[in-house]
Amino acid sequence: MDYHSHRFEDISLMIYESNKLISVLPINVKGNIAYSHAGLTYGGMVYDERMTSNKMLEAMRAVRSYLSGNNIEVLFYKPIPYIFSKIPSQEDLYALTIMGAKLVKRDLSSAICLSSIPKISKGRKYQVNLAKKNNVLVEKSDEYIAYWKVLEKVISKHGVQPVHSVDEIKLLASRFSENIKLYTASIDEKIEAGIVLYDNGSVIHTQYMAATDTARNVGALDLVISQIIDVYKDCRTYLSFGISTENEGKDLNVGLIRQKESFGARGLVHDLYELHI
């Protein structure tokens, strides 16, 4: 998180038991409100297989005591979606419930289980074949500057800009070259579509998907997704897409989620809990 640390007042915590580190919790504060973490897609406790349910209860109570001692009144907690955990681990959600936390927001994301991929829709298959017929070239790339120009132009039509600047994403990709990858689709040697992938070893997560009008007309982005599935289907567990909800989770972008579902993706919630300290 260092690259944007200047944007947040960070008080990330390390939780110990008998002088042994048992978990970490990314947190930032704004006034008397704490967030886990406003600079991350999701936050929540990070811990290994040594954690137990009772230890988690004690850890969360220790966090509450620490925040109370620092005049924090509310904690907004974003748990890690379960597919990103290497083993089943939702002890934090149980602890939050016991402590009186309330679910205050639920976004809907999508994911494909790569070990049992459902058949893609006929329409999506047509788009993939159309891209192949039009000689769309999909490849892993380091051309972040060229792709960011495409991305910024496409999403500016919706009045938004990428969360990361091109310099920030290049910095992150250089620091985490095995975890952040760019796949592009080129037509006549010009980048027209692409996806940034975050790879945690068991899940690949898509971010910054974009396609120009030229790319959409020939199904270029569909071919990128199809080839990413082929590359990772035997070595990763899930392919995760971003959320398809708007207005604090209250509105579903039907067109956006339909595209993901046509590749066999199913719903995955991203929750936000409110805990009064």
Side-chain angles (χ1 to χ4, degrees), residues 148 150-163 208:
W148 237 242
V150 171
L151 174 67
E152 290 173 341
K153 183 176 181 180
V154 170
I155 68 175
S156 67
K157 297 176 183 178
H158 304 284
V160 295
Q161 287 297 313
V163 174
Y208 294 130

Side-chain angles (χ1 to χ4, degrees), residues 20 39 93 104 109 224:
K20 292 183 179 180
L93 299 187
V104 293
S109 180
V224 178

Side-chain angles (χ1 to χ4, degrees), residues 41 76-79 102-108 243 245-250 269-274:
T41 304
F76 287 101
Y77 185 96
K78 295 187 293 187
K102 302 296 183 183
L103 176 66
V104 293
K105 178 184 175 184
R106 171 163 281 173
D107 284 306
L108 186 64
I243 64 172
T245 43
E246 302 165 353
N247 187 24
E248 295 295 302
K250 297 181 180 70
V269 295
H270 284 206
D271 288 342
L272 178 67
Y273 290 84
E274 181 180 4

Side-chain angles (χ1 to χ4, degrees), residues 247-258:
N247 187 24
E248 295 295 302
K250 297 181 180 70
D251 299 324
L252 180 66
N253 187 324
V254 177
L256 181 59
I257 202 166
R258 184 180 291 139

Side-chain angles (χ1 to χ4, degrees), residues 3 11 57 105-106 138 144 149 152-153 164 172 203 241 243 246 265-266:
Y3 79 96
I11 60 162
L57 277 168
K105 178 184 175 184
R106 171 163 281 173
V138 175
Y144 284 95
K149 291 179 181 177
E152 290 173 341
K153 183 176 181 180
H164 297 96
L172 287 171
V203 179
F241 294 100
I243 64 172
E246 302 165 353
R266 292 298 177 264

Side-chain angles (χ1 to χ4, degrees), residues 193-213:
I195 296 175
V196 174
L197 281 187
Y198 292 167
D199 182 359
N200 83 342
S202 58
V203 179
I204 47 173
H205 175 73
T206 64
Q207 194 143 345
Y208 294 130
M209 292 194 293
T212 64
D213 290 339

Side-chain angles (χ1 to χ4, degrees), residues 15-201:
I15 297 96
Y16 292 84
E17 180 189 48
S18 302
N19 295 321
K20 292 183 179 180
L21 182 67
I22 61 169
S23 63
V24 297
L25 179 61
I27 294 185
N28 72 285
V29 294
K30 188 173 183 181
N32 59 2
I33 300 176
Y35 304 85
S36 76
H37 181 293
L40 298 172
T41 304
Y42 39 80
M45 287 278 197
V46 179
Y47 48 95
D48 63 19
E49 67 278 0
R50 293 171 296 179
M51 177 62 73
T52 66
S53 301
N54 190 51
K55 281 184 183 180
M56 178 57 73
L57 277 168
E58 293 176 352
M60 291 297 288
R61 286 167 178 158
V63 168
R64 173 185 250 174
S65 177
Y66 176 88
L67 295 177
S68 176
N70 284 270
N71 301 314
I72 302 300
E73 297 181 1
V74 179
L75 169 64
F76 287 101
Y77 185 96
K78 295 187 293 187
I80 300 171
Y82 75 92
I83 66 169
F84 291 92
S85 300
K86 294 181 180 179
I87 58 176
S89 50
Q90 292 186 314
E91 294 88 353
D92 57 339
L93 299 187
Y94 176 74
L96 283 169
T97 302
I98 292 299
M99 296 166 65
K102 302 296 183 183
L103 176 66
V104 293
K105 178 184 175 184
R106 171 163 281 173
D107 284 306
L108 186 64
S109 180
S110 306
I112 296 173
C113 180
L114 294 174
S115 63
S116 57
I117 306 170
K119 291 182 179 180
I120 68 173
S121 70
K122 290 182 180 179
R124 201 55 57 198
K125 188 179 294 185
Y126 171 83
Q127 290 294 101
V128 170
N129 290 331
L130 180 63
K132 292 177 179 178
K133 290 178 182 178
N134 281 272
N135 299 314
V136 174
L137 175 64
V138 175
E139 57 188 345
K140 190 163 67 171
S141 172
D142 293 320
E143 297 294 331
Y144 284 95
I145 294 176
Y147 179 62
W148 237 242
K149 291 179 181 177
V150 171
L151 174 67
E152 290 173 341
K153 183 176 181 180
V154 170
I155 68 175
S156 67
K157 297 176 183 178
H158 304 284
V160 295
Q161 287 297 313
V163 174
H164 297 96
S165 69
V166 67
D167 289 335
E168 288 173 339
I169 197 68
K170 285 176 62 182
L171 175 64
L172 287 171
S174 68
R175 288 180 176 176
F176 305 98
S177 58
E178 295 301 312
N179 305 100
I180 300 176
K181 301 162 188 176
L182 171 64
Y183 283 81
T184 59
S186 298
I187 302 171
D188 296 329
E189 300 184 354
K190 182 181 178 183
I191 293 176
E192 299 283 357
I195 296 175
V196 174
L197 281 187
Y198 292 167
D199 182 359
N200 83 342

